[in-house]
Amino acid sequence: MAAPMLRCTSWVRWCGTPGLSGVLLLGLRAAHSGAQGLLAAQKARGLFKEFFPDRGTKIELPELFDRRTAGHLPQTIYCGFDPTADSLHVGHLLTLLGLFHFQRAGHNVIALVGGATARLGDPSGRTKEREALDAERVQSNARALRRELETLAAHHQQLFTNGRTWGSFTVLDNSSWYQQQHLVDFLAAVGGHFRMGTLLSRQSVQTRLKSPEGMSLAEFLYQVLQAYDFYYLFQRYGCRVQLGGSDQLGNIMSGYEFIHKLTGEDVFGITVPLITSTTGAKLGKSAGNAVWLNRDKTSPFELYQFFVRQQDDSVERYLKLFTFLPLPEIDHIMQQHVKEPEKWGPQKRLAAEVTKLVHGQEGLDSAKRCTQALYHSSIDALEVMSDQELKELFKEASFSELVLDPGTSVLDTCRKANAIPDGPRGYRMITEGGVSINHRQVTNPESVLVVGQHILKNGLSLLKIGKRNFYIIKWLQL
């Protein structure tokens, strides 16, 4: 079986010019425009939060991205995504956008699916151990995440081009280099390079050790495997930068120390802020408040509405974090909002940009149709909606397929759809105005259905009983 790869190499030493006098990005000076144009620009947007280490011994982080350094070779940056579910969620978007910003600047990026590490469970930011996932479930989730990442990268490439030459976007799975490892061989080769005192000092470890549940050995070793991932990508792809959420800083530090100890080379970590709910809880599967990027779990309409509902005190920040819009354009959008707050311009632009990235132009069009149909009672929008869109929009609605017999009345339709009770009570619900078809109130139970009014061009009828009970009817043999 393959032994752990622990050769020490000096990779891209062309970057080794000392420079910038430790100023780094934190001063956001205008000098070194290549670095400032990428790293400091994202710092200014709020996307890049922390940089580790502050200074390298041979290279400083801005030098890697300074167009004036000898050779000006593109860099490689990676971020990991553990397949603990079969979809990414909004909480993952910022690290993904960070990768895209590097790609747009001409650098190569790697989205690493943790097909191996997901079975251990990352303890960072958690108060108790994750539910264990079997190998088959993890593999299935990993395949789904790979497809999703590739789809997002394709939408980015197709819909957000800026006329520049971009770097590559590669999706890898770390199970490909762990599945051939022998446990004892791996621990013998890798374990000796980690100090227990350092590993135990990590905040994520300390928090869990002090908790009533404690911490399992599997969770404790997670940071070792993430460090090895960084080392592997450094050796194979020349990857010098790891991107992650702010709760990943401890794991990134472990990777830096491991690589520096083995190779003497400098690598770096960049964190992005965590997105939280209005109550301060981290958005995600475990917290039960995930807004998924998979259409089967969160529809384009629901994703669009999540961002449309953002309050004024957060929408400007979200425009900077979740979109590629230039800062001057965002400033203009916010200035217009002051003049016309009733139009919700920033929220709609934010929702449109994110939905287009996640679901493509078709997904954005679908979200807008659903919005018009639900909130603006648009018959035109209803008429062009697909069965899928109606099911997504009215998730709790009953869906029926009925044959349109000659003379079918409003009363017949309501009863066949099991929308009203039998007898006089159901009849009165119609006469008293409690029933509408396609957003039009109907009060005559004996009215015969009219194609084009009660039945839309797409062969559907949206039946509403009371204020909240919806029934979708698909008519057959029209």
Side-chain angles (χ1 to χ4, degrees), residues 19-94:
L20 294 195
S21 304
V23 173
L24 242 172
L25 322 173
L26 304 180
L28 298 179
R29 296 200 318 186
H32 291 261
S33 59
Q36 294 300 324
L38 175 60
L39 300 179
Q42 300 314 316
K43 179 81 173 177
R45 293 178 78 100
L47 182 59
F48 292 168
K49 183 178 180 182
E50 299 165 292
F51 304 90
F52 177 85
D54 283 351
R55 297 187 62 177
T57 56
K58 298 178 181 178
I59 310 167
E60 292 186 20
L61 183 57
E63 291 182 68
L64 297 182
F65 302 101
D66 192 337
R67 295 178 181 274
R68 300 183 304 176
T69 52
H72 182 225
L73 297 177
Q75 295 301 308
T76 301
I77 301 93
Y78 100 93
C79 180
F81 303 89
D82 273 350
T84 53
D86 58 0
S87 173
L88 301 173
H89 52 72
V90 165
H92 293 112
L93 263 182
L94 288 192

Side-chain angles (χ1 to χ4, degrees), residues 56-240:
T57 56
K58 298 178 181 178
I59 310 167
E60 292 186 20
L61 183 57
E63 291 182 68
L64 297 182
F65 302 101
D66 192 337
R67 295 178 181 274
R68 300 183 304 176
T69 52
H72 182 225
L73 297 177
Q75 295 301 308
T76 301
I77 301 93
Y78 100 93
C79 180
F81 303 89
D82 273 350
T84 53
D86 58 0
S87 173
L88 301 173
H89 52 72
V90 165
H92 293 112
L93 263 182
L94 288 192
T95 49
L96 190 57
L97 279 161
L99 290 181
F100 285 155
H101 278 293
F102 279 113
Q103 184 191 13
R104 295 165 73 83
H107 301 286
N108 301 319
V109 299
I110 297 172
L112 180 65
V113 176
T117 44
R119 297 194 64 194
L120 300 185
D122 185 1
S124 302
R126 297 183 58 82
T127 57
K128 60 182 181 179
E129 191 169 4
R130 293 181 184 272
E131 180 182 352
L133 298 174
D134 60 54
E136 185 176 346
R137 175 74 177 277
V138 170
Q139 289 174 7
S140 175
N141 288 349
R143 288 192 295 270
L145 255 60
R146 288 189 66 131
R147 290 193 298 269
E148 197 164 76
L149 287 164
E150 289 164 354
T151 297
L152 285 160
H155 290 161
H156 175 226
Q157 186 80 38
Q158 295 162 6
L159 302 172
F160 295 89
T161 55
N162 58 4
R164 299 178 183 174
T165 300
W166 288 6
S168 62
F169 186 99
T170 303
V171 182
L172 301 175
D173 188 329
N174 64 10
S175 64
S176 65
W177 54 83
Y178 285 116
Q179 61 187 0
Q180 300 299 324
Q181 298 281 10
H182 282 162
L183 174 62
V184 174
D185 291 341
F186 181 82
L187 290 177
V190 174
H193 297 282
F194 290 88
R195 302 270 70 84
M196 287 297 298
T198 303
L199 296 178
L200 287 166
S201 70
R202 303 295 186 218
Q203 183 178 356
S204 59
V205 175
Q206 285 291 310
T207 300
R208 290 297 303 280
L209 289 176
K210 293 175 183 177
S211 69
E213 186 174 311
M215 186 179 201
S216 70
L217 176 62
E219 290 181 294
F220 181 70
L221 290 176
Y222 184 95
Q223 61 180 308
V224 173
L225 267 64
Q226 184 166 327
Y228 184 78
D229 287 342
F230 197 177
Y231 171 80
Y232 182 94
L233 294 175
F234 171 76
Q235 294 287 37
R236 289 293 179 92
Y237 296 90
C239 178
R240 285 187 177 272

Side-chain angles (χ1 to χ4, degrees), residues 109-390:
V109 299
I110 297 172
L112 180 65
V113 176
T117 44
R119 297 194 64 194
L120 300 185
D122 185 1
S124 302
R126 297 183 58 82
T127 57
K128 60 182 181 179
E129 191 169 4
R130 293 181 184 272
E131 180 182 352
L133 298 174
D134 60 54
E136 185 176 346
R137 175 74 177 277
V138 170
Q139 289 174 7
S140 175
N141 288 349
R143 288 192 295 270
L145 255 60
R146 288 189 66 131
R147 290 193 298 269
E148 197 164 76
L149 287 164
E150 289 164 354
T151 297
L152 285 160
H155 290 161
H156 175 226
Q157 186 80 38
Q158 295 162 6
L159 302 172
F160 295 89
T161 55
N162 58 4
R164 299 178 183 174
T165 300
W166 288 6
S168 62
F169 186 99
T170 303
V171 182
L172 301 175
D173 188 329
N174 64 10
S175 64
S176 65
W177 54 83
Y178 285 116
Q179 61 187 0
Q180 300 299 324
Q181 298 281 10
H182 282 162
L183 174 62
V184 174
D185 291 341
F186 181 82
L187 290 177
V190 174
H193 297 282
F194 290 88
R195 302 270 70 84
M196 287 297 298
T198 303
L199 296 178
L200 287 166
S201 70
R202 303 295 186 218
Q203 183 178 356
S204 59
V205 175
Q206 285 291 310
T207 300
R208 290 297 303 280
L209 289 176
K210 293 175 183 177
S211 69
E213 186 174 311
M215 186 179 201
S216 70
L217 176 62
E219 290 181 294
F220 181 70
L221 290 176
Y222 184 95
Q223 61 180 308
V224 173
L225 267 64
Q226 184 166 327
Y228 184 78
D229 287 342
F230 197 177
Y231 171 80
Y232 182 94
L233 294 175
F234 171 76
Q235 294 287 37
R236 289 293 179 92
Y237 296 90
C239 178
R240 285 187 177 272
V241 180
Q242 180 181 171
L243 193 67
S246 57
D247 59 348
Q248 292 295 306
L249 187 57
N251 293 338
I252 293 173
M253 291 168 66
S254 293
Y256 162 81
E257 291 161 358
F258 182 49
I259 293 170
H260 193 70
K261 183 178 293 185
L262 283 174
T263 70
E265 297 291 335
D266 290 313
V267 294
F268 300 89
I270 300 175
T271 66
V272 301
L274 298 178
I275 298 300
T276 59
S277 67
T278 53
T279 62
K282 175 183 173 183
L283 291 183
K285 174 176 65 70
S286 303
N289 57 7
V291 179
W292 301 99
L293 306 188
N294 183 317
R295 182 169 188 160
D296 294 336
K297 299 167 80 72
T298 298
S299 70
F301 167 75
E302 290 170 312
L303 179 68
Y304 184 88
Q305 289 300 319
F306 172 79
F307 285 100
V308 162
R309 290 194 297 266
Q310 295 304 315
Q311 298 301 310
D312 285 353
D313 58 2
S314 61
V315 69
E316 182 176 6
R317 175 173 176 255
Y318 279 13
L319 279 167
K320 294 175 180 177
L321 291 175
F322 286 103
T323 78
F324 302 110
L325 299 177
L327 292 181
E329 186 173 351
I330 294 174
D331 289 340
H332 177 72
I333 291 171
M334 296 309 299
Q335 289 168 12
Q336 290 297 113
H337 184 54
V338 173
K339 299 175 184 177
E340 301 174 307
E342 72 282 358
K343 291 187 176 181
W344 289 66
Q347 285 87 350
K348 291 178 180 178
R349 185 63 184 277
L350 169 66
E353 293 292 312
V354 177
T355 305
K356 186 167 65 170
L357 175 64
V358 175
H359 294 295
Q361 186 62 51
E362 187 280 329
L364 174 58
D365 293 342
S366 173
K368 289 183 175 180
R369 281 195 296 271
C370 291
T371 299
Q372 288 295 315
L374 183 63
Y375 295 122
H376 302 283
S377 300
S378 171
I379 300 299
D380 291 339
L382 276 176
E383 284 191 320
V384 295
M385 289 177 69
S386 65
D387 295 5
Q388 180 186 20
E389 287 174 336
L390 279 169

